[in-house]
Amino acid sequence: MKKIEFKTVIQEFDSAEELPQNDQDLVNAAAGAVKTSYAPYSKFNVGAAVLLQNGVVVTGSNQENVAYPSGLCAERVAVFAASAQHPGIPIESIAIAAESKEFEVNFPVTPCGSCRQVLSEYEQIYGRNIKVILSGHTGKVLVVEKVEDLLPLSFKADKLKK
Ligand code: THU
């Protein structure tokens, strides 16, 4: 038996204003996308902005449905839209922001497991890291250099073949 350890480095910023300008711009785009969220059930509005290698930014927001599992998180709406509209263009980074009318979202929102799995596959097919920038409405911002750090041992497409 041997032990395998995973190391995850997370950068913590006291606020979005502390980020480098390009990351700040992406957080602002995600915050703008929050306004397009359709979340009448959770009342938790999430926005995501994806920066592609060609400089294009594609946004998305959570879209809920009365048949609850039919809804989709902001991150997957954004990356699926990016992939559909700009096929073959690698993703450089994704920023997430959130707001609620019920309370102040003063913490960074962390993506669910399904969104991590989806992001992880784009990291693999393009063979390059996707930086993940996690913010709320106010408060600290977390930056992770690659999705692999957020989902070690993800299920990978090569496991479908011998
Ligand atoms: N949600 C996202 O869109 N992204 C996240 O990272 C966390 C959760 C959405 C799903 C649902 O519409 C609402 O937030 C409450 O879970």
Side-chain angles (χ1 to χ4, degrees):
M1 192 279 271
K2 68 169 183 176
K3 284 188 179 173
I4 303 168
E5 286 186 24
F6 293 100
K7 186 178 171 191
T8 301
V9 178
I10 301 173
Q11 291 175 270
E12 187 187 79
F13 295 82
D14 282 334
S15 73
E17 288 75 49
E18 277 191 9
L19 293 167
Q21 193 57 52
N22 55 336
D23 290 351
Q24 228 179 96
D25 292 346
L26 204 60
V27 168
N28 288 338
V34 167
K35 310 295 175 206
T36 70
S37 156
Y38 174 65
Y41 307 106
S42 72
K43 299 184 171 60
F44 191 71
N45 302 104
V46 186
V50 172
L51 173 65
L52 301 179
Q53 203 175 44
N54 61 6
V56 170
V57 173
V58 179
T59 60
S61 55
N62 56 332
Q63 300 295 317
E64 297 185 349
N65 189 275
V66 65
Y68 289 7
S70 303
L72 204 60
C73 296
E75 296 90 324
R76 273 175 288 165
V77 170
V79 289
F80 287 155
S83 186
Q85 292 164 21
H86 306 276
I89 311 293
I91 298 170
E92 280 197 357
S93 45
I94 180 169
I96 296 143
E99 271 183 65
S100 168
K101 285 193 182 70
E102 318 271 291
F103 62 94
E104 177 62 14
V105 182
N106 56 3
F107 53 86
V109 172
T110 50
C112 77
S114 296
C115 287
R116 292 177 199 211
Q117 175 68 32
V118 165
L119 284 165
S120 154
E121 184 150 333
Y122 289 110
E123 196 158 77
Q124 288 153 42
I125 61 173
Y126 293 125
R128 58 160 298 159
N129 293 344
I130 299 174
K131 182 174 19 176
V132 184
I133 307 160
L134 308 173
S135 71
H137 180 234
T138 52
K140 293 191 192 316
V141 176
L142 302 179
V143 178
V144 186
E145 284 308 317
K146 53 184 190 301
V147 177
E148 181 76 27
D149 284 349
L150 289 174
L151 191 66
L153 299 180
S154 63
F155 185 63
K156 297 194 172 68
D158 60 0
K159 299 293 177 295
L160 293 180
K161 299 188 281 262
K162 259 195 188 165

